[in-house]
Amino acid sequence: MSKTLIIAEKPSVAQDIVRALTPQLGKFDKHEDHFENDTHVVTSAVGHLVEIKAPEEYDVKRGKWSFAHLPVIPPHFDLAPIDKAKSRLNAVVKLVKRKDVSELINACDAGREGELIFRLIVQFAGVGAKKGLDKPIRRLWLQSMTPQAIRDGFSRLRSDREMLGLSDAARSRSEADWLVGINGTRAMTAFNSRDGGFFLTTVGRVQTPTLSIVVEREEKIRRHVSRPYWELKAQFGAAAGIYEGKWFDPAWKRNPEDPEQRADRLWDEARAQAIADAVRGRPARVTEEAKPSTQSAPALYDLTTLQREANSRFGFSAKTTLSIAQALYEKHKVLTYPRTDSRALPEDYLGVAKQTLGMIAEEDLPGPLRELAPHAAKAVAEGWVKPNKRIFDNAKISDHFAIIPTLQAPRSLSEIEAKLYDMVVKRFIAVFFPPAEFMVTTRISTVQGSDGQPHAFQTHGKVMVKPGWLAVYGREVQEDDANLVAVRPDERPLAEQVDLHALRTKPPPRYTEATLLSAMEGAGKLIDDDELREAMAEKGLGTPATRAQIIEGLILEKYMLREGRELIPTAKAFQLMTLLRGLQVEELTKPELTGNWEHQLSEMEKGRLSREAFMAEIAAMTERVVAKAKEYDRDTIPGDYATLATPCPNCGGVVKENYRRFACTGPDGAGDGCGFSISKIPGGRSFELHEAEQFLRDRRIGPLEGFRSKAGWPFTAELRLVRDEEIANWKLEFDFGEEAKAAEAGEEVDFSGQESLGHCPKCRGAVYEHGSSYVCEKSVGPHATCDFKSGKIILQQPVAREQMGKLLQTGKTDLLENFVSNKTRRKFKAFLAYDGKEGKVSFEFEPRPARPAAKKGAARKSPAR
């Protein structure tokens, strides 16, 4: 008997399909990698099992990254198994090729990426290829995973022809990303490596505009000129007590040319002082306006919102939040699928929502979650779970619905898992509660001054009338604004005390992961073109599943540093933006590129644009980017370059940067100088400005990490500025440790004369001293299989042998006190600890002492950072 093979995207979906179809099709037997009965076989991928790659003759190796081999535009793309998924791929392909399987059903997620996963698997298996397997394909399209929704989906399967537009769009997006990423990266790397070395300069459709957002913010911070301004605050005495008012100008209007202006800012100290003197001790005429206000609960979580709030509340990186959410989904089975961009539930999920609230209400949940049971019970008892387009709306769902708790009660969650689960459960309960109700009062106290002019002071009050959904959060997010002191209708409170506050304008804040995730999600708003902005409205830069990976990739490639919660672009980031602007390929830095792609891919899905036309346009853009880099013939790239504070070591002249070098420009900073210059990227590593100044001042710096040999091997070294009498000037030299020499030569390293410090935490090999690092014996030499390494000096703090031995034995060192921050140049103390998730040695800070509870009415302060 012939059978139908159903291929889902994830094992959990395959199980849901089996459960839903069993009443109709009969019992399924469970096998190692699939389920089977008399008529159907159900299996799944685990996300992507296959990736595209260029044919072998187009696969240019890193050592040959030169313009001679660019652009790389293959006539077609081959497929290659993803290493970690080979066994699963083999199992699925074997089922596809079974002789008794006569039909395939694509049950991967309902979207472009799900379509691509399925299409690449069946292509790899030979389906549809010339002289290959000819097996008909149909498509299951689900937006809800209830058993009935799955059965309904199978009753109206889509034909393969209906899905060809989506299939073309999926393949085109994947291949276009490959072409832009590979050619852009190799062209910029070749350009930056012209002077020797290997300066890896990665470029990508999503990562480069994301980096541009961070760099542009840093440029605003650097350009910001702090200006003084003054605020006036008056203490008004009424019969019922004292209240505070802040001076403001009722006639003020926003000035688009000067966004730092505010209605309550005074830019002239003399005027501010005159107003204070004119109103002090004089009576005010009071007007009040009280309005009711409501605040609805925030919508359910999608992944980006969850990552953003977890970063703000707990300092979790986007990557950490995703890994925790994935564990709660896969291991504990207490959350629904987390890699979603939807904040709504399917319209047929009312029953599931009621059951989930019932589980929370009845189960004896562990720890603080037990406190949520009464709120869940109330939502059910009050009948608040009902059709509501804000919560249940199929139109707001693409591949997946919002993140909510499952019917599985949690057991044995770690502390951080419990924190994230608690966030999701509270949001899920709160969304069914009624809005919070407030009474918002605005009071204007107008004082007729001794100068004959009226001066207005504003006071706001906000009083909670009904907590609504805020009850679920206890006091976590309730407003603290106290009720205003009452003023009788005929009363004239006196301005008893008037204080002048001298302040200065501040630059915009640096991005944190929370704010960068928001910027990536809303990147379409930055686009001027209406059509492109609309195409990108629901997309943003990247997807919820990839944004964390993009941020981590930028940090890994040394384009950004994570300092506390701030993300700071490095010299390498500024250099890339300067290069792309100077080469006039700025489209690689702008979200318009994604907006244009999304618009065209949408047209392709609808059959209004051919795949061939789109790919021809991508190939033409790729050729233009490579040609711009290849043909650039001027000495330097134009840009906004710095002047160093440290003078030229040779003649005392002014040292300025250009695209490639720091060079002397003579005593007035406008000439050719004495000929002194050093590379900005020695050994493929960019100098930060403070490092360059320290190097010229001290004549040496390091050891520094991140250098690469000509063959691409990483190494650590010191740099020295040495006098060369032949040229009568100073030049830069590497002080190579043994590690760098071995890496350069690709030689085996002999550790037989050393005593091991302990076992490598990654592979259990032996760890030894090697050059300026502590390394795993399997991480050096031409046949390296491990990458564990930790510097002997980290941020200017020496790490002694006994401390590294202690880290390897117990997981962390003693508290070390002389680290120096790259950002602030201040000393700080921390433990060094091995982070198993990140796979590297990282900082661990002393726990802060518990703060005493604030007294009621006391002002709240942000913790020092």
Side-chain angles (χ1 to χ4, degrees), residues 157-215:
L157 293 168
R158 301 183 181 185
S159 71
D160 190 46
R161 181 172 294 278
E162 287 178 82
M163 308 312 299
L164 291 180
L166 182 64
S167 172
D168 283 349
R171 288 179 185 275
S172 299
R173 196 278 308 154
S174 178
E175 292 172 10
D177 269 343
W178 190 97
L179 286 171
V180 170
I182 291 293
N183 286 285
T185 295
R186 294 181 181 187
M188 299 312 141
T189 300
F191 187 94
N192 281 333
S193 304
R194 274 174 163 169
D195 294 343
F198 180 78
F199 186 36
L200 180 61
T201 311
T202 58
V203 170
R205 173 181 63 92
V206 176
Q207 78 160 50
T208 307
T210 300
L211 182 63
S212 177
I213 289 171
V214 180
V215 169

Side-chain angles (χ1 to χ4, degrees), residues 77 176 179 190 234 328 431 435 492 497 524 530 563 572 576 602 607 624 674 695 728 742 832 853 856:
F77 284 90
L179 286 171
L328 290 168
V431 81
R492 303 287 296 277
Q497 182 179 332
D530 292 341
E563 289 273 4
K572 183 179 178 181
L576 174 61
S602 175
R624 192 178 76 80
C674 67
F695 183 51
L832 291 176
K856 192 171 182 181

Side-chain angles (χ1 to χ4, degrees), residues 581-861:
R581 292 165 187 166
L583 293 177
Q584 298 178 325
V585 288
E586 280 189 279
E587 63 263 40
L588 293 178
T589 72
K590 295 184 179 298
E592 277 88 343
L593 180 61
T594 288
N596 185 39
W597 283 23
E598 286 299 338
H599 173 65
Q600 293 189 66
L601 293 172
S602 175
E603 293 292 286
M604 195 184 300
E605 288 177 21
K606 297 166 187 168
R608 297 200 285 251
L609 177 70
S610 73
R611 171 163 150 74
E612 291 71 26
F614 175 80
M615 293 309 300
E617 188 178 312
I618 298 300
M621 185 190 81
T622 301
E623 288 171 342
R624 192 178 76 80
V625 168
V626 171
K628 286 279 189 181
K630 193 183 289 189
E631 294 161 7
Y632 194 85
D633 57 0
R634 279 167 281 169
D635 290 338
T636 189
I637 297 284
D640 183 15
Y641 295 115
T643 299
L644 300 193
T646 310
C648 170
N650 191 52
C651 72
V654 177
V655 177
K656 292 185 175 181
E657 68 166 327
N658 56 43
Y659 183 70
R660 296 187 185 280
R661 308 186 74 76
F662 293 106
C664 177
T665 56
D668 59 356
D672 292 333
C674 67
F676 168 78
S677 74
I678 58 170
S679 170
K680 281 170 64 177
I681 47 172
R685 180 195 185 278
S686 295
F687 264 124
E688 297 295 330
L689 283 177
H690 69 82
E691 290 176 338
E693 295 196 329
Q694 181 186 338
F695 183 51
L696 296 189
R697 183 182 67 245
D698 300 343
R699 307 290 197 265
R700 68 184 303 124
I701 191 170
L704 301 175
E705 297 181 340
F707 296 108
R708 286 181 182 271
S709 68
K710 290 177 184 176
W713 290 96
F715 67 91
T716 299
E718 289 191 11
L719 297 177
R720 291 188 299 148
L721 206 55
V722 296
R723 184 77 183 173
D724 185 336
E725 295 304 336
E726 283 189 20
I727 60 172
N729 215 320
W730 296 78
K731 66 180 183 180
L732 179 153
E733 282 189 358
F734 281 98
D735 185 355
F736 287 101
E738 294 303 313
E739 175 188 358
K741 288 177 183 174
E744 183 77 22
E747 298 172 354
E748 294 286 358
V749 180
D750 181 11
F751 292 115
S752 59
Q754 280 196 50
E755 182 182 347
S756 167
L757 285 87
H759 292 296
C760 170
K762 280 196 163 183
C763 71
R764 306 304 293 165
V767 173
Y768 296 98
E769 285 187 65
H770 182 51
S772 57
S773 297
Y774 299 109
V775 301
C776 173
E777 61 184 341
K778 298 177 183 176
S779 71
V780 293
H783 307 296
T785 58
C786 179
D787 63 357
F788 177 76
K789 181 198 312 185
S790 185
K792 289 184 183 177
I793 300 177
I794 297 176
L795 295 183
Q796 301 183 36
Q797 163 72 61
V799 182
R801 273 183 64 93
E802 57 269 22
Q803 290 297 334
M804 179 51 61
K806 186 167 187 176
L807 184 148
L808 296 174
Q809 186 176 358
T810 67
K812 70 179 180 181
T813 64
D814 294 333
L815 188 67
L816 305 177
E817 299 193 351
N818 292 307
F819 295 106
V820 179
S821 166
N822 271 329
K823 181 181 73 168
T824 64
R825 316 311 303 153
R826 292 178 184 160
K827 286 189 175 183
F828 66 92
K829 54 187 178 180
F831 302 95
L832 291 176
Y834 182 72
D835 185 332
K837 278 190 177 177
E838 299 287 339
K840 63 183 181 182
V841 173
S842 59
F843 295 116
E844 186 177 302
F845 298 96
E846 286 184 294
R848 288 180 180 160
R851 293 167 60 197
K855 293 179 181 177
K856 192 171 182 181
R860 290 181 297 177
K861 294 182 179 178

Side-chain angles (χ1 to χ4, degrees), residues 50 112 151 187 192 217 370 383 458 564 589 595 607 672 694 713 800 833:
V50 183
R112 196 187 293 159
R151 288 191 286 269
N192 281 333
R217 173 66 58 86
R370 195 176 297 121
Q458 194 169 46
T589 72
D672 292 333
Q694 181 186 338
W713 290 96

Side-chain angles (χ1 to χ4, degrees), residues 270-314:
R271 185 185 171 215
Q273 188 63 59
I275 294 173
D277 294 339
V279 301
R280 190 174 290 111
R282 297 180 72 86
R285 193 175 299 278
V286 176
T287 59
E288 268 187 9
E289 184 179 24
K291 288 183 179 178
S293 170
T294 62
Q295 181 187 0
S296 296
L300 295 168
Y301 284 119
D302 62 1
L303 178 59
T304 300
T305 313
L306 185 66
Q307 288 171 319
R308 197 165 58 223
E309 293 190 18
N311 180 255
S312 296
R313 288 186 60 189
F314 307 123

Side-chain angles (χ1 to χ4, degrees), residues 32-141:
E32 186 177 350
D33 44 46
H34 68 280
F35 301 86
E36 186 168 359
N37 68 9
D38 293 340
T39 57
H40 287 74
V41 181
V42 182
T43 190
S44 76
V46 282
H48 282 278
L49 303 183
V50 183
E51 60 189 351
I52 62 167
K53 66 163 193 166
E56 193 63 39
E57 60 269 28
Y58 287 84
D59 187 20
V60 182
K61 299 293 184 280
R62 184 169 69 186
K64 299 178 182 177
W65 285 13
S66 69
F67 287 121
H69 302 91
L70 295 176
V72 181
I73 303 176
H76 68 277
F77 284 90
D78 291 340
L79 300 180
I82 293 173
D83 285 341
K84 64 180 182 181
K86 276 184 179 177
S87 60
R88 173 63 73 164
L89 175 64
N90 291 337
V92 175
V93 167
K94 189 176 178 182
L95 293 172
V96 171
K97 290 183 173 181
R98 266 176 43 172
K99 291 185 178 178
D100 61 340
V101 168
S102 59
E103 180 191 35
L104 307 176
I105 292 178
N106 175 4
C108 291
D109 294 345
R112 196 187 293 159
E113 215 55 30
E115 195 68 24
L116 182 65
I117 288 169
F118 175 84
R119 296 286 174 173
L120 295 185
I121 290 171
V122 295
Q123 179 186 335
F124 186 82
V127 175
K130 290 178 181 178
K131 299 180 182 178
L133 300 172
D134 184 17
K135 297 191 178 185
I137 295 170
R138 289 190 290 168
R139 181 62 150 114
L140 176 68
W141 195 263

